[in-house]
mmCIF file of all heavy atoms in Angstrom:
data_model
loop_
_atom_site.group_PDB
_atom_site.id
_atom_site.type_symbol
_atom_site.label_atom_id
_atom_site.label_comp_id
_atom_site.label_asym_id
_atom_site.label_seq_id
_atom_site.Cartn_x
_atom_site.Cartn_y
_atom_site.Cartn_z
ATOM 1 N N GLN A 51 -27.925 -49.952 -45.880
ATOM 2 C CA GLN A 51 -28.603 -50.555 -47.022
ATOM 3 C C GLN A 51 -28.706 -52.068 -46.877
ATOM 4 O O GLN A 51 -29.733 -52.667 -47.224
ATOM 5 C CB GLN A 51 -27.871 -50.205 -48.318
ATOM 6 C CG GLN A 51 -28.611 -50.662 -49.574
ATOM 7 C CD GLN A 51 -30.008 -50.091 -49.659
ATOM 8 O OE1 GLN A 51 -30.192 -48.884 -49.676
ATOM 9 N NE2 GLN A 51 -31.019 -50.962 -49.710
ATOM 10 N N VAL A 52 -27.649 -52.704 -46.337
ATOM 11 C CA VAL A 52 -27.694 -54.152 -46.118
ATOM 12 C C VAL A 52 -28.808 -54.502 -45.127
ATOM 13 O O VAL A 52 -29.595 -55.435 -45.359
ATOM 14 C CB VAL A 52 -26.332 -54.666 -45.610
ATOM 15 C CG1 VAL A 52 -26.443 -56.129 -45.177
ATOM 16 C CG2 VAL A 52 -25.269 -54.518 -46.686
ATOM 17 N N ILE A 53 -28.881 -53.761 -44.026
ATOM 18 C CA ILE A 53 -29.923 -54.016 -43.036
ATOM 19 C C ILE A 53 -31.295 -53.757 -43.639
ATOM 20 O O ILE A 53 -32.257 -54.503 -43.391
ATOM 21 C CB ILE A 53 -29.716 -53.161 -41.777
ATOM 22 C CG1 ILE A 53 -28.355 -53.459 -41.130
ATOM 23 C CG2 ILE A 53 -30.843 -53.391 -40.781
ATOM 24 C CD1 ILE A 53 -28.185 -54.898 -40.706
ATOM 25 N N GLN A 54 -31.405 -52.704 -44.469
ATOM 26 C CA GLN A 54 -32.685 -52.399 -45.105
ATOM 27 C C GLN A 54 -33.102 -53.512 -46.057
ATOM 28 O O GLN A 54 -34.294 -53.845 -46.167
ATOM 29 C CB GLN A 54 -32.612 -51.061 -45.841
ATOM 30 C CG GLN A 54 -33.973 -50.493 -46.230
ATOM 31 C CD GLN A 54 -34.869 -50.258 -45.026
ATOM 32 O OE1 GLN A 54 -34.459 -49.621 -44.062
ATOM 33 N NE2 GLN A 54 -36.084 -50.777 -45.075
ATOM 34 N N ASN A 55 -32.136 -54.094 -46.759
ATOM 35 C CA ASN A 55 -32.442 -55.226 -47.643
ATOM 36 C C ASN A 55 -33.032 -56.391 -46.837
ATOM 37 O O ASN A 55 -33.987 -57.039 -47.270
ATOM 38 C CB ASN A 55 -31.192 -55.686 -48.383
ATOM 39 C CG ASN A 55 -30.762 -54.704 -49.454
ATOM 40 O OD1 ASN A 55 -31.524 -53.834 -49.867
ATOM 41 N ND2 ASN A 55 -29.527 -54.836 -49.906
ATOM 42 N N TYR A 56 -32.436 -56.640 -45.677
ATOM 43 C CA TYR A 56 -32.950 -57.692 -44.803
ATOM 44 C C TYR A 56 -34.371 -57.360 -44.349
ATOM 45 O O TYR A 56 -35.278 -58.214 -44.402
ATOM 46 C CB TYR A 56 -32.033 -57.862 -43.589
ATOM 47 C CG TYR A 56 -32.677 -58.632 -42.462
ATOM 48 C CD1 TYR A 56 -32.724 -60.021 -42.482
ATOM 49 C CD2 TYR A 56 -33.261 -57.964 -41.382
ATOM 50 C CE1 TYR A 56 -33.335 -60.730 -41.452
ATOM 51 C CE2 TYR A 56 -33.873 -58.661 -40.357
ATOM 52 C CZ TYR A 56 -33.907 -60.044 -40.395
ATOM 53 O OH TYR A 56 -34.521 -60.734 -39.389
ATOM 54 N N LEU A 57 -34.594 -56.115 -43.900
ATOM 55 C CA LEU A 57 -35.912 -55.706 -43.406
ATOM 56 C C LEU A 57 -36.962 -55.767 -44.516
ATOM 57 O O LEU A 57 -38.070 -56.277 -44.317
ATOM 58 C CB LEU A 57 -35.841 -54.297 -42.825
ATOM 59 C CG LEU A 57 -34.955 -54.115 -41.590
ATOM 60 C CD1 LEU A 57 -34.878 -52.637 -41.203
ATOM 61 C CD2 LEU A 57 -35.471 -54.944 -40.420
ATOM 62 N N ASP A 58 -36.606 -55.256 -45.689
ATOM 63 C CA ASP A 58 -37.550 -55.279 -46.818
ATOM 64 C C ASP A 58 -37.831 -56.708 -47.275
ATOM 65 O O ASP A 58 -38.970 -57.061 -47.606
ATOM 66 C CB ASP A 58 -36.999 -54.461 -47.989
ATOM 67 C CG ASP A 58 -36.986 -52.969 -47.705
ATOM 68 O OD1 ASP A 58 -37.681 -52.530 -46.765
ATOM 69 O OD2 ASP A 58 -36.279 -52.237 -48.424
ATOM 70 N N GLY A 59 -36.789 -57.512 -47.296
ATOM 71 C CA GLY A 59 -36.962 -58.892 -47.738
ATOM 72 C C GLY A 59 -37.871 -59.686 -46.823
ATOM 73 O O GLY A 59 -38.723 -60.458 -47.286
ATOM 74 N N THR A 60 -37.709 -59.519 -45.519
ATOM 75 C CA THR A 60 -38.551 -60.255 -44.565
ATOM 76 C C THR A 60 -39.958 -59.681 -44.506
ATOM 77 O O THR A 60 -40.922 -60.413 -44.249
ATOM 78 C CB THR A 60 -37.922 -60.251 -43.162
ATOM 79 O OG1 THR A 60 -37.648 -58.895 -42.752
ATOM 80 C CG2 THR A 60 -36.630 -61.056 -43.142
ATOM 81 N N ALA A 63 -41.622 -60.800 -48.081
ATOM 82 C CA ALA A 63 -41.470 -62.205 -48.469
ATOM 83 C C ALA A 63 -40.653 -62.351 -49.748
ATOM 84 O O ALA A 63 -41.095 -62.930 -50.743
ATOM 85 C CB ALA A 63 -42.834 -62.867 -48.631
ATOM 86 N N ASP A 64 -39.423 -61.833 -49.703
ATOM 87 C CA ASP A 64 -38.527 -61.876 -50.853
ATOM 88 C C ASP A 64 -37.241 -62.612 -50.447
ATOM 89 O O ASP A 64 -36.279 -61.981 -49.995
ATOM 90 C CB ASP A 64 -38.215 -60.453 -51.317
ATOM 91 C CG ASP A 64 -37.407 -60.404 -52.608
ATOM 92 O OD1 ASP A 64 -36.767 -61.420 -52.938
ATOM 93 O OD2 ASP A 64 -37.403 -59.349 -53.263
ATOM 94 N N PRO A 65 -37.205 -63.938 -50.588
ATOM 95 C CA PRO A 65 -36.033 -64.704 -50.161
ATOM 96 C C PRO A 65 -34.740 -64.262 -50.832
ATOM 97 O O PRO A 65 -33.667 -64.275 -50.206
ATOM 98 C CB PRO A 65 -36.389 -66.146 -50.551
ATOM 99 C CG PRO A 65 -37.883 -66.165 -50.623
ATOM 100 C CD PRO A 65 -38.265 -64.805 -51.125
ATOM 101 N N THR A 66 -34.813 -63.871 -52.092
ATOM 102 C CA THR A 66 -33.605 -63.446 -52.810
ATOM 103 C C THR A 66 -33.010 -62.204 -52.178
ATOM 104 O O THR A 66 -31.781 -62.102 -52.004
ATOM 105 C CB THR A 66 -33.941 -63.166 -54.290
ATOM 106 O OG1 THR A 66 -34.475 -64.345 -54.887
ATOM 107 C CG2 THR A 66 -32.693 -62.739 -55.046
ATOM 108 N N LEU A 67 -33.858 -61.245 -51.815
ATOM 109 C CA LEU A 67 -33.374 -60.021 -51.185
ATOM 110 C C LEU A 67 -32.806 -60.318 -49.804
ATOM 111 O O LEU A 67 -31.792 -59.732 -49.407
ATOM 112 C CB LEU A 67 -34.507 -59.001 -51.091
ATOM 113 C CG LEU A 67 -34.123 -57.570 -50.660
ATOM 114 C CD1 LEU A 67 -33.074 -56.993 -51.612
ATOM 115 C CD2 LEU A 67 -35.355 -56.684 -50.604
ATOM 116 N N ILE A 68 -33.445 -61.221 -49.082
ATOM 117 C CA ILE A 68 -32.930 -61.600 -47.757
ATOM 118 C C ILE A 68 -31.533 -62.197 -47.891
ATOM 119 O O ILE A 68 -30.595 -61.799 -47.183
ATOM 120 C CB ILE A 68 -33.871 -62.611 -47.074
ATOM 121 C CG1 ILE A 68 -35.240 -61.979 -46.824
ATOM 122 C CG2 ILE A 68 -33.262 -63.096 -45.754
ATOM 123 C CD1 ILE A 68 -36.289 -62.967 -46.353
ATOM 124 N N LYS A 69 -31.377 -63.157 -48.799
ATOM 125 C CA LYS A 69 -30.072 -63.827 -48.970
ATOM 126 C C LYS A 69 -28.992 -62.856 -49.423
ATOM 127 O O LYS A 69 -27.812 -63.036 -49.092
ATOM 128 C CB LYS A 69 -30.205 -64.981 -49.958
ATOM 129 C CG LYS A 69 -30.914 -66.195 -49.373
ATOM 130 C CD LYS A 69 -30.795 -67.432 -50.248
ATOM 131 C CE LYS A 69 -31.674 -67.329 -51.481
ATOM 132 N NZ LYS A 69 -31.690 -68.611 -52.252
ATOM 133 N N SER A 70 -29.372 -61.816 -50.166
ATOM 134 C CA SER A 70 -28.382 -60.841 -50.635
ATOM 135 C C SER A 70 -27.745 -60.068 -49.486
ATOM 136 O O SER A 70 -26.663 -59.505 -49.642
ATOM 137 C CB SER A 70 -29.034 -59.863 -51.614
ATOM 138 O OG SER A 70 -29.873 -58.929 -50.943
ATOM 139 N N ALA A 71 -28.425 -60.042 -48.341
ATOM 140 C CA ALA A 71 -27.900 -59.307 -47.192
ATOM 141 C C ALA A 71 -26.892 -60.123 -46.391
ATOM 142 O O ALA A 71 -26.132 -59.564 -45.606
ATOM 143 C CB ALA A 71 -29.053 -58.870 -46.285
ATOM 144 N N PHE A 72 -26.865 -61.441 -46.592
ATOM 145 C CA PHE A 72 -26.032 -62.339 -45.784
ATOM 146 C C PHE A 72 -24.843 -62.885 -46.571
ATOM 147 O O PHE A 72 -24.931 -63.094 -47.783
ATOM 148 C CB PHE A 72 -26.859 -63.530 -45.296
ATOM 149 C CG PHE A 72 -27.843 -63.189 -44.215
ATOM 150 C CD1 PHE A 72 -29.133 -62.788 -44.545
ATOM 151 C CD2 PHE A 72 -27.500 -63.280 -42.878
ATOM 152 C CE1 PHE A 72 -30.062 -62.495 -43.560
ATOM 153 C CE2 PHE A 72 -28.417 -62.981 -41.889
ATOM 154 C CZ PHE A 72 -29.700 -62.582 -42.215
ATOM 155 N N HIS A 73 -23.769 -63.128 -45.862
ATOM 156 C CA HIS A 73 -22.673 -63.907 -46.429
ATOM 157 C C HIS A 73 -23.160 -65.344 -46.595
ATOM 158 O O HIS A 73 -23.929 -65.841 -45.756
ATOM 159 C CB HIS A 73 -21.459 -63.861 -45.490
ATOM 160 C CG HIS A 73 -20.229 -64.470 -46.079
ATOM 161 N ND1 HIS A 73 -19.993 -65.829 -46.068
ATOM 162 C CD2 HIS A 73 -19.166 -63.911 -46.703
ATOM 163 C CE1 HIS A 73 -18.844 -66.085 -46.656
ATOM 164 N NE2 HIS A 73 -18.311 -64.932 -47.064
ATOM 165 N N PRO A 74 -22.739 -66.056 -47.654
ATOM 166 C CA PRO A 74 -23.217 -67.434 -47.879
ATOM 167 C C PRO A 74 -22.968 -68.360 -46.688
ATOM 168 O O PRO A 74 -23.713 -69.326 -46.482
ATOM 169 C CB PRO A 74 -22.421 -67.886 -49.107
ATOM 170 C CG PRO A 74 -22.096 -66.614 -49.830
ATOM 171 C CD PRO A 74 -21.877 -65.588 -48.760
ATOM 172 N N GLN A 75 -21.939 -68.084 -45.890
ATOM 173 C CA GLN A 75 -21.626 -68.935 -44.752
ATOM 174 C C GLN A 75 -22.175 -68.389 -43.428
ATOM 175 O O GLN A 75 -21.863 -68.907 -42.357
ATOM 176 C CB GLN A 75 -20.107 -69.114 -44.641
ATOM 177 C CG GLN A 75 -19.492 -69.798 -45.852
ATOM 178 C CD GLN A 75 -17.981 -69.911 -45.734
ATOM 179 O OE1 GLN A 75 -17.443 -70.142 -44.646
ATOM 180 N NE2 GLN A 75 -17.291 -69.756 -46.846
ATOM 181 N N ALA A 76 -22.993 -67.353 -43.507
ATOM 182 C CA ALA A 76 -23.544 -66.745 -42.293
ATOM 183 C C ALA A 76 -24.416 -67.736 -41.531
ATOM 184 O O ALA A 76 -25.100 -68.577 -42.123
ATOM 185 C CB ALA A 76 -24.355 -65.503 -42.656
ATOM 186 N N LEU A 78 -27.346 -68.013 -38.265
ATOM 187 C CA LEU A 78 -28.278 -67.292 -37.417
ATOM 188 C C LEU A 78 -28.529 -68.123 -36.168
ATOM 189 O O LEU A 78 -28.812 -69.318 -36.251
ATOM 190 C CB LEU A 78 -29.604 -67.033 -38.144
ATOM 191 C CG LEU A 78 -29.575 -66.049 -39.312
ATOM 192 C CD1 LEU A 78 -29.018 -66.678 -40.578
ATOM 193 C CD2 LEU A 78 -30.977 -65.505 -39.579
ATOM 194 N N SER A 91 -28.861 -71.748 -41.293
ATOM 195 C CA SER A 91 -28.128 -71.016 -42.324
ATOM 196 C C SER A 91 -28.987 -69.866 -42.852
ATOM 197 O O SER A 91 -30.221 -69.871 -42.709
ATOM 198 C CB SER A 91 -27.756 -71.945 -43.480
ATOM 199 O OG SER A 91 -28.943 -72.352 -44.161
ATOM 200 N N ALA A 92 -28.351 -68.921 -43.484
ATOM 201 C CA ALA A 92 -29.078 -67.797 -44.070
ATOM 202 C C ALA A 92 -30.024 -68.287 -45.159
ATOM 203 O O ALA A 92 -31.142 -67.778 -45.309
ATOM 204 C CB ALA A 92 -28.092 -66.778 -44.640
ATOM 205 N N SER A 93 -29.595 -69.280 -45.913
ATOM 206 C CA SER A 93 -30.417 -69.814 -46.986
ATOM 207 C C SER A 93 -31.686 -70.457 -46.439
ATOM 208 O O SER A 93 -32.790 -70.254 -46.964
ATOM 209 C CB SER A 93 -29.622 -70.838 -47.802
ATOM 210 O OG SER A 93 -30.403 -71.348 -48.858
ATOM 211 N N GLU A 94 -31.536 -71.240 -45.376
ATOM 212 C CA GLU A 94 -32.711 -71.873 -44.767
ATOM 213 C C GLU A 94 -33.648 -70.810 -44.198
ATOM 214 O O GLU A 94 -34.870 -70.874 -44.383
ATOM 215 C CB GLU A 94 -32.289 -72.835 -43.651
ATOM 216 C CG GLU A 94 -33.477 -73.511 -42.970
ATOM 217 C CD GLU A 94 -33.065 -74.420 -41.817
ATOM 218 O OE1 GLU A 94 -31.846 -74.634 -41.634
ATOM 219 O OE2 GLU A 94 -33.966 -74.899 -41.101
ATOM 220 N N TYR A 95 -33.083 -69.840 -43.504
ATOM 221 C CA TYR A 95 -33.889 -68.771 -42.917
ATOM 222 C C TYR A 95 -34.668 -68.029 -44.003
ATOM 223 O O TYR A 95 -35.863 -67.759 -43.850
ATOM 224 C CB TYR A 95 -32.974 -67.804 -42.166
ATOM 225 C CG TYR A 95 -33.685 -66.641 -41.523
ATOM 226 C CD1 TYR A 95 -34.386 -66.808 -40.337
ATOM 227 C CD2 TYR A 95 -33.641 -65.372 -42.097
ATOM 228 C CE1 TYR A 95 -35.035 -65.732 -39.736
ATOM 229 C CE2 TYR A 95 -34.286 -64.294 -41.506
ATOM 230 C CZ TYR A 95 -34.979 -64.483 -40.324
ATOM 231 O OH TYR A 95 -35.623 -63.412 -39.741
ATOM 232 N N ALA A 96 -34.022 -67.695 -45.101
ATOM 233 C CA ALA A 96 -34.682 -66.967 -46.191
ATOM 234 C C ALA A 96 -35.853 -67.754 -46.763
ATOM 235 O O ALA A 96 -36.866 -67.172 -47.168
ATOM 236 C CB ALA A 96 -33.675 -66.637 -47.288
ATOM 237 N N SER A 97 -35.714 -69.091 -46.786
ATOM 238 C CA SER A 97 -36.776 -69.930 -47.374
ATOM 239 C C SER A 97 -38.068 -69.872 -46.572
ATOM 240 O O SER A 97 -39.138 -70.214 -47.081
ATOM 241 C CB SER A 97 -36.302 -71.385 -47.473
ATOM 242 O OG SER A 97 -36.197 -71.982 -46.185
ATOM 243 N N TRP A 98 -37.990 -69.420 -45.304
ATOM 244 C CA TRP A 98 -39.188 -69.326 -44.478
ATOM 245 C C TRP A 98 -40.097 -68.185 -44.919
ATOM 246 O O TRP A 98 -41.237 -68.078 -44.470
ATOM 247 C CB TRP A 98 -38.818 -69.117 -43.012
ATOM 248 C CG TRP A 98 -38.004 -70.224 -42.412
ATOM 249 C CD1 TRP A 98 -37.787 -71.478 -42.931
ATOM 250 C CD2 TRP A 98 -37.281 -70.176 -41.185
ATOM 251 N NE1 TRP A 98 -36.982 -72.204 -42.110
ATOM 252 C CE2 TRP A 98 -36.647 -71.437 -41.024
ATOM 253 C CE3 TRP A 98 -37.090 -69.218 -40.213
ATOM 254 C CZ2 TRP A 98 -35.862 -71.741 -39.925
ATOM 255 C CZ3 TRP A 98 -36.312 -69.503 -39.102
ATOM 256 C CH2 TRP A 98 -35.696 -70.758 -38.961
ATOM 257 N N PHE A 99 -39.586 -67.316 -45.775
ATOM 258 C CA PHE A 99 -40.339 -66.127 -46.174
ATOM 259 C C PHE A 99 -40.779 -66.203 -47.634
ATOM 260 O O PHE A 99 -40.859 -65.195 -48.320
ATOM 261 C CB PHE A 99 -39.485 -64.872 -45.965
ATOM 262 C CG PHE A 99 -39.162 -64.602 -44.511
ATOM 263 C CD1 PHE A 99 -38.057 -65.177 -43.918
ATOM 264 C CD2 PHE A 99 -39.978 -63.785 -43.749
ATOM 265 C CE1 PHE A 99 -37.747 -64.944 -42.578
ATOM 266 C CE2 PHE A 99 -39.686 -63.543 -42.417
ATOM 267 C CZ PHE A 99 -38.571 -64.124 -41.826
ATOM 268 N N SER A 100 -41.099 -67.395 -48.098
ATOM 269 C CA SER A 100 -41.506 -67.558 -49.495
ATOM 270 C C SER A 100 -42.925 -67.066 -49.765
ATOM 271 O O SER A 100 -43.281 -66.774 -50.899
ATOM 272 C CB SER A 100 -41.383 -69.027 -49.904
ATOM 273 O OG SER A 100 -42.201 -69.834 -49.060
ATOM 274 N N LYS A 147 -17.684 -54.807 -50.201
ATOM 275 C CA LYS A 147 -19.079 -55.197 -49.991
ATOM 276 C C LYS A 147 -19.316 -55.594 -48.534
ATOM 277 O O LYS A 147 -18.587 -56.412 -47.976
ATOM 278 C CB LYS A 147 -19.434 -56.368 -50.920
ATOM 279 C CG LYS A 147 -20.898 -56.745 -50.892
ATOM 280 C CD LYS A 147 -21.189 -57.827 -51.922
ATOM 281 C CE LYS A 147 -22.677 -58.151 -51.968
ATOM 282 N NZ LYS A 147 -22.969 -59.197 -52.984
ATOM 283 N N TRP A 148 -20.360 -55.003 -47.930
ATOM 284 C CA TRP A 148 -20.734 -55.339 -46.565
ATOM 285 C C TRP A 148 -21.784 -56.451 -46.584
ATOM 286 O O TRP A 148 -22.711 -56.437 -47.386
ATOM 287 C CB TRP A 148 -21.309 -54.114 -45.852
ATOM 288 C CG TRP A 148 -20.269 -53.145 -45.410
ATOM 289 C CD1 TRP A 148 -19.799 -52.084 -46.113
ATOM 290 C CD2 TRP A 148 -19.579 -53.154 -44.168
ATOM 291 N NE1 TRP A 148 -18.830 -51.420 -45.387
ATOM 292 C CE2 TRP A 148 -18.683 -52.058 -44.180
ATOM 293 C CE3 TRP A 148 -19.612 -53.973 -43.038
ATOM 294 C CZ2 TRP A 148 -17.848 -51.764 -43.115
ATOM 295 C CZ3 TRP A 148 -18.780 -53.686 -41.962
ATOM 296 C CH2 TRP A 148 -17.901 -52.579 -42.004
ATOM 297 N N LEU A 149 -21.643 -57.421 -45.657
ATOM 298 C CA LEU A 149 -22.588 -58.522 -45.546
ATOM 299 C C LEU A 149 -22.789 -58.894 -44.078
ATOM 300 O O LEU A 149 -21.873 -58.742 -43.254
ATOM 301 C CB LEU A 149 -22.092 -59.748 -46.315
ATOM 302 C CG LEU A 149 -22.027 -59.630 -47.839
ATOM 303 C CD1 LEU A 149 -21.287 -60.821 -48.421
ATOM 304 C CD2 LEU A 149 -23.432 -59.522 -48.433
ATOM 305 N N ILE A 150 -23.963 -59.403 -43.760
ATOM 306 C CA ILE A 150 -24.235 -59.906 -42.417
ATOM 307 C C ILE A 150 -23.570 -61.269 -42.274
ATOM 308 O O ILE A 150 -23.759 -62.152 -43.116
ATOM 309 C CB ILE A 150 -25.755 -60.039 -42.173
ATOM 310 C CG1 ILE A 150 -26.457 -58.698 -42.336
ATOM 311 C CG2 ILE A 150 -26.029 -60.628 -40.788
ATOM 312 C CD1 ILE A 150 -27.977 -58.801 -42.389
ATOM 313 N N VAL A 151 -22.796 -61.447 -41.211
ATOM 314 C CA VAL A 151 -22.148 -62.743 -40.980
ATOM 315 C C VAL A 151 -22.816 -63.507 -39.841
ATOM 316 O O VAL A 151 -22.623 -64.722 -39.705
ATOM 317 C CB VAL A 151 -20.638 -62.577 -40.702
ATOM 318 C CG1 VAL A 151 -19.931 -62.049 -41.932
ATOM 319 C CG2 VAL A 151 -20.391 -61.689 -39.499
#
Side-chain angles (χ1 to χ4, degrees):
Q51 187 57 59
V52 171
I53 301 300
Q54 195 60 51
N55 288 344
Y56 164 81
L57 296 175
D58 290 343
T60 54
D64 186 340
T66 301
L67 190 57
I68 297 171
K69 285 192 286 187
S70 74
F72 287 90
H73 188 278
Q75 298 178 37
L78 291 79
S91 67
S93 181
E94 179 183 353
Y95 179 77
S97 70
W98 299 346
F99 295 87
S100 59
K147 187 175 184 179
W148 283 91
L149 293 170
I150 301 168
V151 294

